[in-house]
C-alpha cells in the first residue's frame, strides 16, 4: 500500500499582504491531504461517519520552514505516526514540487468518537479493516 | 426602528498579495452585516430556522469602488430593498469609518424555504411579526 | 484554442453548517478558474503583472442554482464574454462532473490598469498577443 | 499595563458541516488577538514594520477543548510567555464569554527579522520601548 502525496497549487486568494501563503491555509491543506489519504484507503470521510466513526481533531501543530508563493505547486504528504484503539496522530510534509525544498511540517491529533460525538470508540473494533489498512501504511514509512 | 451599521476591522488574514482585502471577503462581510441586522430585529438566524424558515441565498452581486486595507475600520450597512411573500433583496454599503468614503456596494437575493429546504414558504404567513419588522425598516430608508 | 474547464474537488473546510459549500467560496473558485484560463493562454497572472498590466476586479455576480457538497467534483468553465481596450467580462459555470447538473453561474468584471494601479491601460496596445488570444477564445464560444 | 482580551463573535461562514467552527479559523482568531494586543501596546503591526521589524511566524500549535458554534461570543486572551532578543512566544486562550468555559488553547512562535526578511534583528535593540512594554505584560501574568 503506497500512499501518494497530494499535489496542489497555491491559490491567489490564499496569499496575504506579505506576498506569501497565509499561515492558516496550511492547516487547511493538511485537511485536504488527510481526506485524500482516506480516499486512497478506499474510505471517504463520509463513509467512516456513516459507519459510525468520527475522527475528532483534538490538536495540531505546524512549523514553517520556508514560504510558498502564489502559483507554486506543492506536494503534501500525510502519514500516520501513531495509532491506538483510541487515537491517531497524522504528520504532514509540504514540499515544493520543483525543488523538493521543505516548506512546512505539521501534525494533527485525532481521537475516535461515535457519530453523535458522545463517547469514544475503538477504531480497531468498529472498523477493523480500516484499522488494518492504517497499520500497513505505517509499516511503509 | 433604526438599524445600525456593523462596525468592523479589516483583518490581516483577509489581505492578499496586492496588499488589499481580497474581494471574496466582502461577501462574508455582507453576511456578518445581515446576521447583525437580524439580531437587531430581535431574531437570531437560528431562531428563524427554529421557527421553520430558511433564508436561502439565490444570488449576489458586488461592486468594488475603492480598496480596504488591513487595520482600517469599515461600517457595513444592510437594508432590505425588496420584500414579498416569497423573497427578499438586501443591499449593502461598505464605507471607511474615518473618511466615509464608499468602498463597496452589493446585494444578496434570498427566498424563503421551510427548514428542510423542500418547498417555498410565505414569510408573511410563517413569521408575520418578523415580516412586519422588515417592512418598518424599509420605510426608514 | 480550446480552453478546458478547471476540475476541482469541494473541500471539507469549504462547507458550512448547512452541510453545503458556503456561497463565498464560489467566488474563490471563479478566481481559480480565471487563473487556470490565463495559464492555458500561456500567461501566468504574475507574467501579465510583470509586463505592466493589472486585471483589476471591479465587480462580480453569482447565481446559485443547486448546492455543492463536500467531496463532490465540479468543473468550472471560464470564458470571456466581453472584451474592449479598457475592460473584460468573464463568465463562469460550475457543474457537477458526474451529473453535469448546473450548480452556479457567475460573472466578474475587470478593467486594465498599469502595475501601480494609477491609470487605465489599453490591453490591446500593451499586450497585443494576449488580446488576440482572448479574442480567439471568444470566437470559440 | 493590563491587556484586555479580544471579544469576538463566531461567524456563520466560519462553521463547517459538523455545525461547529472549523478548526482552521482559531488560527486566524489568534492572529486577530495578536494584532489587538499590539494595538493595546500602542503599536500597530504596520508601525513595527515601518520601523524595520517583521514578526515572522515560525510555528504554532492549537489544542481543541470544546466546540464553538455560530453566534457564540468568545474572549481571546493573548499573552507573551517567552521573550528574548531573537524570538517571542505568544500563548492564547479562547473562552466562551457567557460560561467562561475553555474552548481552545494555542501558541505561536515568532522571530524578529528586518523588513526585507533577510537577517534576524534584536527587538531589544531595534525597538527598546516596545521590548520594555512586552516585558511589563509578562510581569502582569
Amino acid at each position: 500500500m503506497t500512499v501518494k502525496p497530494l499535489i496542489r497549487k497555491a491559490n491567489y486568494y490564499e496569499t496575504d499582504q506579505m506576498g506569501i501563503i497565509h499561515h492558516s491555509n496550511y492547516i487547511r491543506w493538511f485537511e485536504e491531504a488527510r481526506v485524500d489519504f482516506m480516499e486512497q484507503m478506499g474510505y471517504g470521510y463520509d463513509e467512516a461517519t456513516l459507519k459510525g466513526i468520527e475522527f475528532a481533531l483534538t490538536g495540531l501543530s505546524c512549523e514553517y520552514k520556508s514560504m510558498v508563493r502564489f502559483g507554486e505547486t506543492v506536494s503534501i504528504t500525510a502519514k500516520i505516526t501513531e495509532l491506538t484503539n483510541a487515537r491517531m496522530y497524522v504528520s504532514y510534509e509540504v514540499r515544493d514540487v520543483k525543488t523538493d525544498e521543505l516548506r512546512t511540517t505539521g501534525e494533527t491529533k485525532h481521537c475516535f468518537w461515535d457519530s453523535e460525538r458522545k463517547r469514544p470508540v475503538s477504531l480497531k473494533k468498529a472498523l477493523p479493516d480500516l484499522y488494518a489498512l492504517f497499520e500497513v501504511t505505517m509499516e511503509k514509512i
Side-chain angles (χ1 to χ4, degrees), chain A:
Chain A
M1 179 90 232
T2 312
V3 182
K4 279 177 291 184
L6 177 70
I7 304 300
R8 205 240 195 238
K9 268 201 168 176
N11 292 311
Y12 188 86
Y13 60 78
E14 294 172 316
T15 61
D16 66 22
Q17 68 176 41
M18 201 87 84
I20 55 178
I21 298 305
H22 189 266
H23 62 271
S24 60
N25 291 309
Y26 296 89
I27 309 304
R28 299 181 167 189
W29 295 5
F30 292 168
E31 185 185 270
E32 287 184 40
R34 205 159 63 239
V35 166
D36 187 63
F37 179 96
M38 290 289 284
E39 272 169 20
Q40 290 187 54
M41 299 289 106
Y43 261 87
Y45 238 58
D46 289 349
E47 220 161 329
T49 312
L50 281 176
K51 293 195 172 164
I53 288 263
E54 204 71 70
F55 292 85
L57 187 82
T58 59
L60 61 81
S61 64
C62 188
E63 300 288 323
Y64 303 92
K65 307 298 187 186
S66 58
M67 305 295 107
V68 180
R69 289 168 200 282
F70 164 56
E72 292 175 3
T73 302
V74 294
S75 72
I76 313 169
T77 310
K79 55 186 178 191
I80 299 173
T81 52
E82 191 176 321
L83 182 67
T84 72
N85 282 349
R87 69 164 184 271
M88 175 177 73
Y89 290 0
V90 186
S91 77
Y92 308 86
E93 266 189 20
V94 179
R95 286 181 183 277
D96 185 80
V97 157
K98 273 191 197 155
T99 65
D100 201 43
E101 207 181 335
L102 185 61
R103 296 297 185 216
T104 318
T105 60
E107 188 182 56
T108 53
K109 299 174 187 174
H110 304 264
C111 65
F112 310 123
W113 289 88
D114 68 319
S115 295
E116 281 92 42
R117 290 196 155 217
K118 286 203 179 132
R119 52 190 191 78
V121 164
S122 161
L123 182 68
K124 200 171 185 172
K125 281 184 196 161
L127 297 175
D129 51 341
L130 182 59
Y131 190 89
L133 275 173
F134 279 174
E135 277 187 320
V136 173
T137 68
M138 295 178 73
E139 286 158 22
K140 275 290 181 199
I141 292 164

